[in-house]
mmCIF file of all heavy atoms in Angstrom:
data_model
loop_
_atom_site.group_PDB
_atom_site.id
_atom_site.type_symbol
_atom_site.label_atom_id
_atom_site.label_comp_id
_atom_site.label_asym_id
_atom_site.label_seq_id
_atom_site.Cartn_x
_atom_site.Cartn_y
_atom_site.Cartn_z
ATOM 1 N N ASP W 3 -256.400 -36.984 248.065
ATOM 2 C CA ASP W 3 -257.480 -36.251 248.609
ATOM 3 C C ASP W 3 -257.675 -34.784 248.304
ATOM 4 O O ASP W 3 -258.574 -34.189 248.673
ATOM 5 C CB ASP W 3 -257.485 -36.350 250.209
ATOM 6 C CG ASP W 3 -256.046 -35.993 250.775
ATOM 7 O OD1 ASP W 3 -255.277 -35.581 249.952
ATOM 8 O OD2 ASP W 3 -255.940 -36.062 251.911
ATOM 9 N N SER W 39 -270.219 -32.201 247.279
ATOM 10 C CA SER W 39 -269.393 -32.583 248.385
ATOM 11 C C SER W 39 -267.930 -31.968 248.326
ATOM 12 O O SER W 39 -267.198 -31.995 249.410
ATOM 13 C CB SER W 39 -269.168 -34.058 248.767
ATOM 14 O OG SER W 39 -268.666 -34.740 247.681
ATOM 15 N N LEU W 40 -267.562 -31.375 247.177
ATOM 16 C CA LEU W 40 -266.246 -30.775 247.028
ATOM 17 C C LEU W 40 -266.142 -29.494 247.975
ATOM 18 O O LEU W 40 -267.120 -28.703 248.098
ATOM 19 C CB LEU W 40 -265.949 -30.371 245.525
ATOM 20 C CG LEU W 40 -265.846 -31.476 244.643
ATOM 21 C CD1 LEU W 40 -265.752 -30.957 243.184
ATOM 22 C CD2 LEU W 40 -264.706 -32.473 244.961
ATOM 23 N N LYS W 41 -264.974 -29.267 248.447
ATOM 24 C CA LYS W 41 -264.719 -27.989 249.249
ATOM 25 C C LYS W 41 -263.497 -27.315 248.524
ATOM 26 O O LYS W 41 -262.694 -27.981 247.824
ATOM 27 C CB LYS W 41 -264.226 -28.381 250.672
ATOM 28 C CG LYS W 41 -265.322 -29.044 251.486
ATOM 29 C CD LYS W 41 -266.559 -28.137 251.849
ATOM 30 C CE LYS W 41 -267.462 -29.018 252.652
ATOM 31 N NZ LYS W 41 -268.726 -28.859 252.268
ATOM 32 N N ILE W 52 -260.758 -29.812 247.667
ATOM 33 C CA ILE W 52 -260.705 -31.048 248.586
ATOM 34 C C ILE W 52 -261.742 -32.034 248.133
ATOM 35 O O ILE W 52 -262.896 -31.630 248.179
ATOM 36 C CB ILE W 52 -260.973 -30.451 250.062
ATOM 37 C CG1 ILE W 52 -259.862 -29.434 250.323
ATOM 38 C CG2 ILE W 52 -260.941 -31.616 251.075
ATOM 39 C CD1 ILE W 52 -260.225 -28.631 251.610
ATOM 40 N N LEU W 53 -261.405 -33.241 247.836
ATOM 41 C CA LEU W 53 -262.212 -34.108 247.235
ATOM 42 C C LEU W 53 -263.308 -34.787 248.044
ATOM 43 O O LEU W 53 -264.332 -35.173 247.569
ATOM 44 C CB LEU W 53 -261.355 -35.236 246.640
ATOM 45 C CG LEU W 53 -260.389 -34.791 245.435
ATOM 46 C CD1 LEU W 53 -259.460 -35.814 244.946
ATOM 47 C CD2 LEU W 53 -261.224 -34.153 244.252
ATOM 48 N N ASN W 54 -263.048 -34.949 249.402
ATOM 49 C CA ASN W 54 -263.988 -35.537 250.246
ATOM 50 C C ASN W 54 -264.645 -36.905 249.708
ATOM 51 O O ASN W 54 -265.855 -37.108 249.694
ATOM 52 C CB ASN W 54 -265.208 -34.601 250.509
ATOM 53 C CG ASN W 54 -264.797 -33.375 251.363
ATOM 54 O OD1 ASN W 54 -263.888 -33.585 252.338
ATOM 55 N ND2 ASN W 54 -265.256 -32.186 251.058
ATOM 56 N N GLY W 55 -263.586 -37.680 249.292
ATOM 57 C CA GLY W 55 -264.101 -39.069 248.829
ATOM 58 C C GLY W 55 -264.302 -39.235 247.258
ATOM 59 O O GLY W 55 -264.691 -40.319 246.912
ATOM 60 N N ILE W 56 -264.500 -38.117 246.639
ATOM 61 C CA ILE W 56 -264.720 -38.197 245.158
ATOM 62 C C ILE W 56 -263.371 -38.702 244.511
ATOM 63 O O ILE W 56 -262.394 -38.120 244.888
ATOM 64 C CB ILE W 56 -265.273 -36.828 244.592
ATOM 65 C CG1 ILE W 56 -266.669 -36.586 245.160
ATOM 66 C CG2 ILE W 56 -265.363 -36.855 243.151
ATOM 67 C CD1 ILE W 56 -267.242 -35.239 244.825
#
Side-chain angles (χ1 to χ4, degrees):
D3 51 4
S39 64
L40 296 176
K41 302 288 182 223
I52 303 165
L53 296 174
N54 289 325
I56 293 176

